[in-house]
Amino acid sequence: AEAQKVQRHAGAPAWDDACTARTEGELFLRQGDAERAVRLARSTLASARSPRSRARLLNLLGIASATVGSLADAIEAFREELPALTQAGMETFIGTTHGNLAEAYLLAGDAARAARNQLRALEEARSNRDSIQVALSVLVAARLASSRSQAARAVELQTAAQLVLTEAGFVLYDTDRATADELVVAARAELGPDRLAVAEQRGSEIGLAAAADVAEAVLGDGTVFPSTD
């Protein structure tokens, strides 16, 4: 509230004229009111002037839209965010946005576009030496491998990624943990307990770099995830 008063009297900074709206939208998301966050993002976008503001508000709109299940709107927002990030000089966030796009496409049932965007996110994360983002990309690759009945590979990738995230103190959202649990249940049914244990052991030993190499192969397999553009 105080920040809004200051903004009204002094004006928003030219480089980020939607800073308080973005913060307010994040608060709505934490409070479970994603619909309100969507409305706020849309209304503020209409008057946003700077590329930085547009990028941040489009990110908010994408996340909030995905939260309420409006996947087409989420995909559109994240796609529009990419050029805005470049215009704003915020290229370090491009990988994260590709990751968000991949998640939205995956939820929408478009595995090909999900794989392609997650591959870009993984490449950006490896270039930036961001182990958390690399591990998150490996998790998505595991889900895609599982969807193609590559159960052992999926378990190996997921185990390797989870080990890195756990050691870093990174906590997955409840929905992501549930998805990971479901992957293991499906793998146990396909592999049996002994082969599952072998896959988990391999995943705990291969390390993040090797897991990322495998994930790149999974995500970049054009015969499995052909281009749909």
Side-chain angles (χ1 to χ4, degrees), residues 13-119:
W15 52 270
D16 191 356
D17 50 300
C19 52
T20 56
R22 168 69 198 214
T23 302
E24 188 177 5
E26 290 175 346
L27 179 60
F28 291 153
L29 287 174
R30 288 196 294 270
Q31 293 172 339
D33 196 350
E35 291 279 7
R36 194 172 180 185
V38 168
R39 292 194 298 271
L40 175 65
R42 289 197 181 283
S43 63
T44 312
L45 267 169
S47 59
R49 300 184 300 276
S50 71
R52 179 183 177 87
S53 294
R54 282 191 55 78
R56 298 186 71 200
L57 289 168
L58 285 166
N59 179 263
L60 173 64
L61 178 59
I63 293 171
S65 296
T67 301
V68 300
S70 299
L71 296 176
D73 290 339
I75 289 168
E76 180 181 4
F78 290 137
R79 287 174 64 95
E80 290 183 18
E81 182 189 355
L82 288 170
L85 288 170
T86 300
Q87 293 166 10
M90 300 169 65
E91 289 87 354
T92 55
F93 294 96
I94 285 176
T96 302
T97 301
H98 275 291
N100 287 337
L101 260 174
E103 181 68 24
Y105 277 128
L106 196 58
L107 292 172
D110 191 337
R113 288 191 173 91
R116 192 156 57 255
N117 278 278
Q118 197 63 59
L119 178 59

Side-chain angles (χ1 to χ4, degrees), residues 190-214:
E190 181 175 338
L191 300 173
D194 293 340
R195 292 172 62 199
L196 173 64
V198 170
E200 289 176 330
Q201 183 63 32
R202 286 177 179 168
S204 69
E205 295 173 348
I206 61 175
L208 184 60
D213 288 341
V214 175

Side-chain angles (χ1 to χ4, degrees), residues 109-128:
D110 191 337
R113 288 191 173 91
R116 192 156 57 255
N117 278 278
Q118 197 63 59
L119 178 59
R120 179 66 187 277
L122 177 55
E123 290 169 346
E124 291 284 336
R126 298 190 83 173
S127 176
N128 295 328

